[in-house]
Amino acid sequence: MELSVIVPTYNEAPNVAELVRRAEAACTGINAEIVFVDDSRDHTPDVIRETASRSAVPVRLIHRDDPVGGLGGAVIEGVRSSQAVYCLVMDGDLQHPPEMIPVLLDRLRASDAEVVVASRYCGNGGDAGGLANGTRRLVSSGATLLSRALFPRRLEHCSDPMTGFFGFRRSAVEVERLKPTGFKILLEMLARHRLQVAEVPFVFGERFAGESKASFKEGVRFIRQLAGLRFGRIASFGVVGGIGTVLNLLIMAALMMVGVHYVLAAVIAAETTILTNFLMQERMVFQADRATAHPLRRRFLQSFGFNNVDAAARLPLLWVLVEFAGVGSLVAQAGTLVAAFLLRYLFHSRVVYGTATPATVVGADAVGQPVTGLIGVFRRQPAGLPPA
């Protein structure tokens, strides 16, 4: 097999038959397959199966009941299933014209490029007119500028890292290095690999049918993805920790205002934010790791247990700072929270969500499983990407 055309879909039933018809015509003379990786909750899988039965080009369906990693995760699932020399990724709404498939493939065949990007912004012929409105065009341009500013070397030859339309040599990409969290899988791929990039211009078309999946939630995912790629997950963990710290101090201050002693107020605030921080970590920091991490109950018990030990250890320090050093109770509480930040991050990334080999077993958790000791936690330091 020379080419796998990977199409992630989510409720795209009205577009499937037309996409396959045009892709089939474009792939004449190419040993190709079309791989739909579908996260739909409607009848899209049935439409794909019915269309596949009539297609001259082989059509495969991978339906995911648990869509880990969003659209980017779907692309990775398709790439992982491919045995082709080249993979080509395109959206299922026909804003990426299938007629460009042989153009991208020919550029891959004829050059040393490992990735060929269909760009809306390079040279004559590129056009982003298919974006729904001026606001979306402004957001897309701003996201592109921000990404290229943070990764000036990795994206030096890529004018459109936000595009979802590109082809690449399957052997050039290490799938296991990718940690997708949303739409921007090309950005993820280029940021985590040193790849030679070529571009071809294309016109971003109008959606054939259905509605755009872009949303504020996807925008938040993009910002989190960008921060994680540039600074490592510790940046996202820091955001969650910052929100938790503010919430902790607000709860403590509110309780003290109604006459609760500062120590008891600190305990109540700590227990509340231990729960809220865990929920935010699950959704905002370690979402991509949940599929391979321990079950939810065990993750919660490990996180809850460690954070309670941490809170108990900080209380005497809080008392000393307030009673003997004369530090204000809220300032002292903030200081102890910040001081414990790195230890909390290392424990959660390496024990609660990590797969590091235990170096020392110091006990068992509440479900009878060994808990990794701190030697194992500190052995492998987390890091963001190198300067780009």
Side-chain angles (χ1 to χ4, degrees), residues 10 100 146 170 179 183 225 271 279 284 289 314 347:
Y10 179 75
M100 288 290 296
L146 180 59
R170 176 67 180 82
K179 303 290 184 182
F183 277 32
Q225 177 188 23
E271 293 301 315
L279 295 174
M284 297 174 62
D289 299 287
R314 286 188 289 102
F347 183 84

Side-chain angles (χ1 to χ4, degrees), residues 245 310 314 317 321 332-344:
T245 297
D310 167 58
R314 286 188 289 102
L317 178 59
L321 289 173
Q333 174 79 332
T336 63
L337 289 168
V338 172
F341 168 77
L342 182 60
L343 188 60
R344 287 196 301 272

Side-chain angles (χ1 to χ4, degrees), residues 247-267:
L247 181 60
N248 185 299
L249 296 176
L250 288 174
I251 293 171
M252 185 175 171
L255 291 171
M256 290 169 60
M257 286 177 63
V258 296
V260 178
H261 189 272
Y262 73 86
V263 173
L264 179 58
V267 171

Side-chain angles (χ1 to χ4, degrees), residues 282-302:
E282 286 276 304
R283 299 293 300 173
M284 297 174 62
V285 184
F286 300 106
Q287 184 181 28
D289 299 287
R290 291 184 303 181
T292 56
H294 300 302
L296 174 62
R297 178 170 175 264
R298 179 172 172 177
R299 296 198 302 271
F300 173 74
L301 289 173
Q302 287 181 321

Side-chain angles (χ1 to χ4, degrees), residues 36 108 238:
F36 286 96
L108 280 167

Side-chain angles (χ1 to χ4, degrees), residues 48-357:
I48 294 171
R49 293 186 190 98
E50 196 277 330
T51 303
S53 68
R54 297 182 279 103
S55 174
V57 173
V59 175
R60 290 196 289 120
L61 168 64
I62 302 172
H63 180 72
R64 303 196 306 165
D65 292 321
D66 184 18
V68 175
L71 180 144
V75 171
I76 295 307
E77 195 74 26
V79 174
R80 190 178 283 118
S81 76
S82 172
Q83 300 298 316
V85 178
Y86 304 105
C87 291
L88 188 147
V89 179
M90 63 185 300
D91 289 349
D93 57 11
L94 291 167
Q95 290 187 291
H96 299 158
E99 292 74 20
M100 288 290 296
I101 292 173
V103 177
L104 291 167
L105 179 60
D106 285 346
R107 187 64 182 271
L108 280 167
R109 288 167 172 167
S111 71
D112 294 329
E114 295 158 309
V115 179
V116 174
V117 175
S119 172
R120 297 164 290 184
Y121 306 120
C122 77
N124 294 325
D127 194 313
L131 289 171
N133 51 51
T135 300
R136 281 199 63 195
R137 287 191 286 273
L138 180 63
V139 169
S140 177
S141 298
T144 297
L145 289 172
L146 180 59
S147 300
R148 297 190 72 192
L150 288 175
F151 296 95
R153 290 204 294 270
R154 298 282 176 94
L155 302 181
E156 180 181 3
H157 302 293
C158 183
S159 63
D160 194 1
M162 300 297 103
T163 186
F165 195 14
F166 59 95
F168 60 94
R169 298 178 190 273
R170 176 67 180 82
S171 61
V173 174
E174 297 179 41
V175 175
E176 302 309 318
R177 294 178 63 182
L178 304 177
K179 303 290 184 182
T181 58
F183 277 32
K184 307 308 177 186
I185 187 60
L186 177 62
L187 173 64
E188 180 87 15
M189 192 177 293
L190 295 180
R192 295 193 184 277
H193 296 78
R194 292 191 180 277
L195 299 172
Q196 188 168 342
V197 179
E199 294 189 321
V200 294
F202 90 107
V203 176
F204 188 67
E206 299 290 338
R207 167 177 275 273
F208 182 75
E211 297 180 353
S212 171
K213 308 303 187 296
S215 64
F216 176 78
K217 181 179 179 181
E218 289 301 327
V220 172
R221 280 186 173 184
F222 166 70
I223 296 298
R224 189 171 72 242
Q225 177 188 23
L226 202 59
L229 285 169
R230 178 65 282 167
F231 305 110
R233 280 187 308 190
I234 195 169
S236 299
F237 192 83
V239 171
V240 168
I243 295 171
T245 297
V246 172
L247 181 60
N248 185 299
L249 296 176
L250 288 174
I251 293 171
M252 185 175 171
L255 291 171
M256 290 169 60
M257 286 177 63
V258 296
V260 178
H261 189 272
Y262 73 86
V263 173
L264 179 58
V267 171
I268 296 172
E271 293 301 315
T272 304
T273 53
I274 283 171
L275 176 59
T276 57
N277 278 15
F278 176 77
L279 295 174
M280 287 190 289
Q281 286 161 194
E282 286 276 304
R283 299 293 300 173
M284 297 174 62
V285 184
F286 300 106
Q287 184 181 28
D289 299 287
R290 291 184 303 181
T292 56
H294 300 302
L296 174 62
R297 178 170 175 264
R298 179 172 172 177
R299 296 198 302 271
F300 173 74
L301 289 173
Q302 287 181 321
S303 179
F304 185 79
F306 179 84
N307 283 322
N308 270 284
V309 171
D310 167 58
R314 286 188 289 102
L315 277 177
L317 178 59
L318 174 68
W319 182 76
V320 168
L321 289 173
V322 173
E323 299 297 333
F324 294 95
V327 179
S329 56
L330 291 178
V331 174
Q333 174 79 332
T336 63
L337 289 168
V338 172
F341 168 77
L342 182 60
L343 188 60
R344 287 196 301 272
Y345 173 75
L346 290 171
F347 183 84
H348 282 81
S349 63
R350 297 309 180 201
V351 178
V352 181
Y353 298 93
T355 56
T357 302

